[in-house]
Amino acid sequence: MKKTLLSLVSLLLAFSMLFSLAACSGGANSNDDVTPTSAPSSDDTPTPGEDYTEGGKFVDYNHYSVDPSIKLQAYDLPNKTVTYLTSAGYTEPDATKHSIIRDVYGVTIEPIHIGNDDYTTKLITLTMGGEAPDLTHAGNSLSLISRGILQPWNNYIDIETNLWKDLENCFNNVRINGSVYTLRERPSRWDFCWYNKEIFEENGITTPKELLEQGNWTWDTFRDAAKALTIDEDSDGVPEIWGAAIQTGLYLVYSTGTSLVSIEPDGSVSNNIRSEKVARAVEFYTQLSVSDSVLYDGSDQKEQFGAGKVAMLWGGLWFKVAFLDMLKEGIVDFVPFPRDPQADKYYIYEQFAFYSLPTDAKNPQGAAAYMNSIRYSTMVVDEEERAERDALSVSEQVDIHGWPNELSDYMLEELYGNPEYVPVEMTYTTFNLGQFFGDIWFRPLLGEPWSAIAEELYPKINEEIASLLEQ
């Protein structure tokens, strides 16, 4: 399990964000190389001492660093090319880091680049013209599913095997009538609460990580820390240090175990804007902002945190570019977002919806082989490269890889390896809800009752949902 967690680092790429959340309509890779490792080449495969195929169900392949019980499904491929419709900003993984698809299956990926705005139109056009791609990143598009343009991955991937079993909760979040129409090699869980350890230590405040380890990292303890660390020494009304900066209150919504709009297991869509959980999240965000006045709300939140002017910063992994020197000095740490004290579980948001399989794909077996390959690659450990990384000083680790090994390892062990966290799928981009964020997160700060705002937004969001389903 440890090797699996370590090897996951190799695939952590920072997605371009609207509000620091990854957009499922198309990804974009960051230049930050978090922890690159090499996937195996043919030479990495030991001479098999036993048959791993179980009568031909699996490929007779096992990388030495991966548990032998984790196997690659065998396919009778109609051809060796997989066409992949990809948005203009998305770059395929480096072939040297993902060579299993080439070395084990002999498959080549042939990308078809298209802009984000034209993506769905291009997919439909290609399909209607008898040239459907083998692979897309259309996510969990209900309109494409209802029109028969996408088919379930279950038709070609056995998600019950050891290769995929750790993602059971992720699959449960995207199932429609028992089928999985979208997946990725691992979920995106790259947003969390950064905090300045020096500010906590200098003021004698229990750190978020200590609270997490005690099982007491909640909205309430976050609020207590934010209040204690909003420091206005000269009493001029402008704190020298702010307790926290939260880029969007949407993180609070997910921690209640819900989302603004959710796709139900039967394929129906729920507009949750009037729910008690959403109301509680909005009210808590408003309390922090107005009653407590502990949130720094400037557009330069990352920079203010990097300057030591904010104690806690909610945001993405890529925020680290604003405080690399602090990472070198060991001043910065992070934890998952605090737990909703009224929720029945510890919920965290993620994005799992991404890759989709067109119904008319000419090589769906090849697309499935690709998905199995990149999933397997997350488990491969390049021990030589890892040793080289461990030999670097912390400053060198940050200069070369963007952050210390200790923090990248912690993220994988905590956010990806802790079974106590229950994921909630991010859907706001799917339903174009960003247009309503001003109403949701700003108007309550001006004193407008949330109940009235929610009633006003409810039919507007229903119209947006209906429009998307009709496309």
Side-chain angles (χ1 to χ4, degrees):
M1 182 64 179
K2 180 69 173 179
K3 285 185 175 181
T4 297
L5 290 172
L6 290 177
S7 61
L8 268 169
V9 183
S10 66
L11 297 176
L12 291 175
L13 303 170
F15 283 85
S16 297
M17 307 293 281
L18 177 60
F19 289 89
S20 86
L21 299 174
C24 70
S25 60
N29 292 340
S30 163
N31 290 326
D32 291 335
D33 191 357
V34 181
T35 308
T37 63
S38 297
S41 68
S42 299
D43 295 336
D44 292 322
T45 309
T47 301
E50 60 179 293
D51 181 9
Y52 291 93
T53 69
E54 295 185 17
K57 180 179 180 181
F58 299 102
V59 175
D60 195 7
Y61 173 87
N62 173 245
H63 187 267
Y64 69 87
S65 70
V66 179
D67 184 338
S69 69
I70 297 173
K71 304 178 182 182
L72 284 163
Q73 194 169 340
Y75 293 96
D76 183 12
L77 301 173
N79 61 71
K80 296 295 186 178
T81 300
V82 170
T83 56
Y84 176 25
L85 183 65
T86 172
S87 59
Y90 187 82
T91 303
E92 273 301 284
D94 188 332
T96 62
K97 298 177 184 177
H98 292 275
S99 61
I100 294 176
I101 187 65
R102 180 187 66 242
D103 294 346
V104 177
Y105 291 105
V107 167
T108 300
I109 304 298
E110 185 178 284
I112 304 170
H113 292 283
I114 187 68
N116 276 335
D117 293 341
D118 303 318
Y119 192 87
T120 300
T121 300
K122 182 67 171 180
L123 174 58
I124 294 173
T125 300
L126 288 173
T127 300
M128 295 298 100
E131 296 296 330
D134 300 315
L135 184 68
T136 79
H137 51 255
N140 219 17
S141 172
L142 294 178
S143 62
L144 294 177
I145 293 170
S146 65
R147 294 167 67 175
I149 293 176
L150 301 179
Q151 64 173 311
W153 280 108
N154 314 59
N155 294 343
Y156 296 94
I157 294 178
D158 183 355
I159 61 177
E160 303 297 326
T161 64
N162 288 342
L163 181 65
W164 295 97
K165 69 175 184 179
D166 286 348
L167 301 182
E168 180 181 359
N169 285 337
C170 306
F171 287 122
N172 289 339
N173 278 336
V174 298
R175 288 183 193 274
I176 296 176
N177 292 322
S179 296
V180 174
Y181 288 86
T182 186
L183 53 77
R184 61 172 61 190
E185 68 272 26
R186 41 86 183 109
S188 167
R189 298 179 186 173
W190 300 339
D191 292 75
F192 28 73
C193 175
W194 297 95
Y195 67 94
N196 184 315
K197 293 192 290 186
E198 281 193 346
I199 294 177
F200 277 83
E201 292 168 0
E202 290 171 358
N203 290 277
I205 305 298
T206 304
T207 68
K209 184 166 286 185
E210 290 169 334
L211 291 168
L212 181 69
E213 291 170 349
Q214 296 167 9
N216 195 28
W217 176 232
T218 69
W219 289 8
D220 295 334
T221 54
F222 165 78
R223 178 184 178 226
D224 291 341
K227 291 171 66 175
L229 296 175
T230 298
I231 302 170
D232 183 9
E233 292 181 343
D234 56 10
S235 301
D236 65 350
V238 181
E240 288 77 38
I241 297 177
W242 290 87
I246 299 178
Q247 196 175 42
T248 170
L250 193 59
Y251 297 124
L252 291 166
V253 174
Y254 290 120
S255 70
T256 68
T258 193
S259 53
L260 298 177
V261 172
S262 57
I263 299 176
E264 302 302 325
D266 62 358
S268 63
V269 178
S270 293
N271 179 352
N272 303 319
I273 197 70
R274 298 188 301 190
S275 73
E276 177 273 334
K277 292 180 179 180
V278 172
R280 200 152 38 80
V282 172
E283 289 165 2
F284 184 66
Y285 179 78
T286 303
Q287 179 184 41
L288 293 170
S289 300
V290 179
S291 304
D292 298 334
S293 297
V294 297
L295 298 185
Y296 177 76
D297 62 357
S299 61
D300 58 343
Q301 294 180 0
K302 301 187 299 294
E303 291 72 22
Q304 289 296 308
F305 180 81
K309 303 297 184 181
V310 174
M312 293 178 284
L313 172 66
W314 288 19
L317 165 64
W318 47 96
F319 279 22
K320 60 189 172 64
V321 298
F323 41 85
L324 295 177
D325 287 341
M326 295 171 67
L327 287 169
K328 293 179 181 180
E329 297 167 11
I331 296 173
V332 178
D333 206 344
F334 68 86
V335 292
F337 296 122
R339 178 178 58 82
D340 173 7
Q342 295 188 36
D344 58 340
K345 296 181 178 66
Y346 198 137
Y347 294 98
I348 59 172
Y349 103 91
E350 71 176 22
Q351 184 186 8
F352 188 62
F354 193 71
Y355 292 103
S356 308
L357 182 63
T359 300
D360 294 334
K362 294 179 176 61
N363 190 5
Q365 298 90 340
Y370 175 74
M371 292 310 306
N372 281 299
S373 296
I374 60 175
R375 172 62 181 163
Y376 193 94
S377 291
T378 67
M379 303 175 182
V380 171
V381 176
D382 186 324
E383 295 179 349
E384 181 178 348
E385 187 171 36
R386 178 68 199 196
E388 292 175 355
R389 286 176 54 81
D390 288 340
L392 298 173
S393 67
V394 171
S395 181
E396 290 171 330
Q397 292 168 19
V398 174
D399 285 337
I400 297 173
H401 302 295
W403 62 341
N405 295 347
E406 180 182 2
L407 291 188
S408 60
D409 291 346
Y410 173 76
M411 185 177 86
L412 296 173
E413 293 171 359
E414 187 64 32
L415 290 181
Y416 289 82
N418 190 334
E420 293 183 8
Y421 300 131
V422 178
V424 178
E425 179 71 10
M426 185 272 285
T427 60
Y428 87 93
T429 54
T430 303
F431 296 100
N432 296 333
L433 301 182
Q435 62 185 298
F436 304 114
F437 278 13
D439 297 295
I440 297 171
W441 303 115
F442 182 69
R443 287 171 59 185
L445 306 186
L446 301 178
E448 291 190 57
W450 170 247
S451 58
I453 297 171
E455 288 299 323
E456 176 187 327
L457 293 180
Y458 185 79
K460 294 180 180 180
I461 293 176
N462 278 342
E463 290 177 5
E464 188 67 28
I465 293 171
S467 175
L468 288 170
L469 293 179
E470 293 170 358
Q471 290 182 359

